């Protein structure tokens, strides 16, 4: 069989980059030639992990069908999050932990998805099942992804399996999870080098709610005030984006990764929906939500309910 | 968690019925309450297997959302092959070995599909990975599914994994694979009790090819002449169905499961495409294809190519 390219989603986070690395290694050890690639270079958090475990970032590509006829997807399945030419290649493997949507194949394939906090938790199980040894450097990268996706096990998306696998990986990589994890997460919170436009776009997604559209971004920080000092400029940009894209509401989650809390900054007509959803009153367009860190579990469902009831 | 219903596709074959049984048992042993159900009673082949291993047929249901809010799919994923009310329930698990198409979920789920010959081959691996013991009766049913899907390992869909797993299951179930397998397959070839309409519909699927639509049915037998004695009536029904459904071609594969050969009976405008595809000349609308038993691998791709080049 010819070589496969292995890649995570567009706008890659630490799990997208490192699961491409760990799954490509798994395939190579299984006798299937594979190379990890990515659609962008690593974020600062991911670069910290790659540097710490002395591993090169995956080669950046724009398209895949110019190189290969078959691929493996990790940490995603939806075509709009994948290679722009994904429909021109055969998908042989998918390893993931998301819902399945906008995905189809012409042929049977290997598809493995589990409702856990991180793709690398699934990949760890596959290594164990096949008895393939995980090199210490790759174990460190896999651990980094679990720390990143679960915010050091504090996100409600984290499962007991993620915690147990992280412990095994930490032993192989020989690192102190709490210390290394906080250093890595902090490396991703260096927002000073980013413009306010970049900060709003860093991890923003749009969600249809009722007959409205809501935009929700998230930034991780160790100091919420450090982000809020830009509030005036952020509000002005969010207002403009609401008008241009017809969003009813723009919510920016500013998450303190040390305290595991978030402050919401909201702009738009639907602010009253957010007040209902989170049982808060916004003051100066902001509200503090204790213990809230997960957009998927603690923001989207509650806001959807407020919009649809 | 409340009880899950576990079911295979509409018009169930032996793998659809028995993988519901084997996966429901796996879930129950894993602490998840589950019940195997089916949308129809077992075929004669499946009934032979259930009777031999002394296991009750799954309860027949028409819909699922009136009973439960969450389900597990086995041996299929495409919604048009599933419960008619599949979009009203949450899909928690899919175990399969087909392409993925017309399938989506709102939430992350457990999805396990591998490009092997039988769903029960995948389920066997899951039992092994979790260290769950397979009862002898269920092992016999799982073995029956592998024999059925691979026509006793002779189909090109059969992989070395299917063969290896069947051997393990036969040891647990304490049966002679060749002897039991041929008895079971023969039980499914009792076509005398079926009308010609039933025979044509037994396992027929429609395929778009180029801008035409082609209907391909398959019947298993131990005596091809026994089916061809109905040729006049079959041709008349196939002609009527072509006209009613606008099929360019109707192909009936009459497969001798002992010899692992098929005779094609073809009706329609596209007979010349079939002659090109299989490099044969039809005499009296029939042609013998040595070593051909798999619609998926030996008929559909070749005919598609003839229609599209």
């Amino acid at each position: 069989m010819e070589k496969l390219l292995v890649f995570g989603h567009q706008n890659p986070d630490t799990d997208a980059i490192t699961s491409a690395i760990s799954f490509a290694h798994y395939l190579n050890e299984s006798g299937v030639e594979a190379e990890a690639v990515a659609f962008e270079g690593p974020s600062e958090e991911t670069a910290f992990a790659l540097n710490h475990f002395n591993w090169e970032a995956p080669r950046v590509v724009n398209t895949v069908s110019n190189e290969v006829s078959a691929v493996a997807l990790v940490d995603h399945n939806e075509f709009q999050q994948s290679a722009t030419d994904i429909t021109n290649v055969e998908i042989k493997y998918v390893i993931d932990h998301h819902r399945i949507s906008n995905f189809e194949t012409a042929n049977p394939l290997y598809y493995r998805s589990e409702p856990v906090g991180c793709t690398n938790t699934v990949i760890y199980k596959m290594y164990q099942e096949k008895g393939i040894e995980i090199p210490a450097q790759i174990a460190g990268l896999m651990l980094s992804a679990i720390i990143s996706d679960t915010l050091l096990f504090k996100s409600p998306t984290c499962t007991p399996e993620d915690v147990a696998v992280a412990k095994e990986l930490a032993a192989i990589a020989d690192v102190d999870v709490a210390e290394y994890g906080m250093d890595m997460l902090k490396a991703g919170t260096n927002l000073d080098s980013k413009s306010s436009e970049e900060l709003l776009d860093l991890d923003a997604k749009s969600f249809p709610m009722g007959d409205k559209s809501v935009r929700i971004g998230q930034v991780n920080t160790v100091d919420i005030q450090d982000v809020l000092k830009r509030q005036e400029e952020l509000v002005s940009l969010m207002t403009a984006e609401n008008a241009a894209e017809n969003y009813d509401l723009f919510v920016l989650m500013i998450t303190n990764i040390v305290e595991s809390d978030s402050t919401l900054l909201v702009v738009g007509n639907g602010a009253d929906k957010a007040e209902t959803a989170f049982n808060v009153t916004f003051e100066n367009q902001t509200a503090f939500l204790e213990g809230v860190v997960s957009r998927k579990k603690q923001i989207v469902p509650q806001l959807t309910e407020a919009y649809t009831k």
Side-chain angles (χ1 to χ4, degrees), chain A residues 108-169:
Chain A
L109 75 161
Y110 189 103
Y111 197 112
R112 177 93 173 244
S113 187
E114 302 192 19
V116 293
C118 181
T119 306
N120 272 297
T121 299
V122 181
I123 295 173
Y124 174 85
K125 291 168 75 174
M126 295 172 67
Y127 271 92
Q128 294 307 108
E129 288 159 11
K130 260 210 172 162
I132 298 174
E133 197 181 331
I134 306 178
Q137 291 168 286
I138 290 180
L141 296 175
M142 295 170 76
L143 170 66
S144 301
I146 297 176
I147 291 166
S148 171
D149 271 9
T150 67
L151 286 180
L152 252 175
F153 317 123
K154 286 182 181 156
S155 170
T157 59
C158 187
T159 69
E161 275 196 298
D162 297 299
V163 178
V165 169
K167 202 173 158 189
E168 299 292 332
L169 290 168

Side-chain angles (χ1 to χ4, degrees), chain A residues 189-200:
Chain A
T189 64
N190 176 18
L191 303 173
D192 289 343
S193 64
K194 294 194 167 53
S195 70
S196 293
E197 286 91 342
E198 285 172 328
L199 195 146
L200 284 174

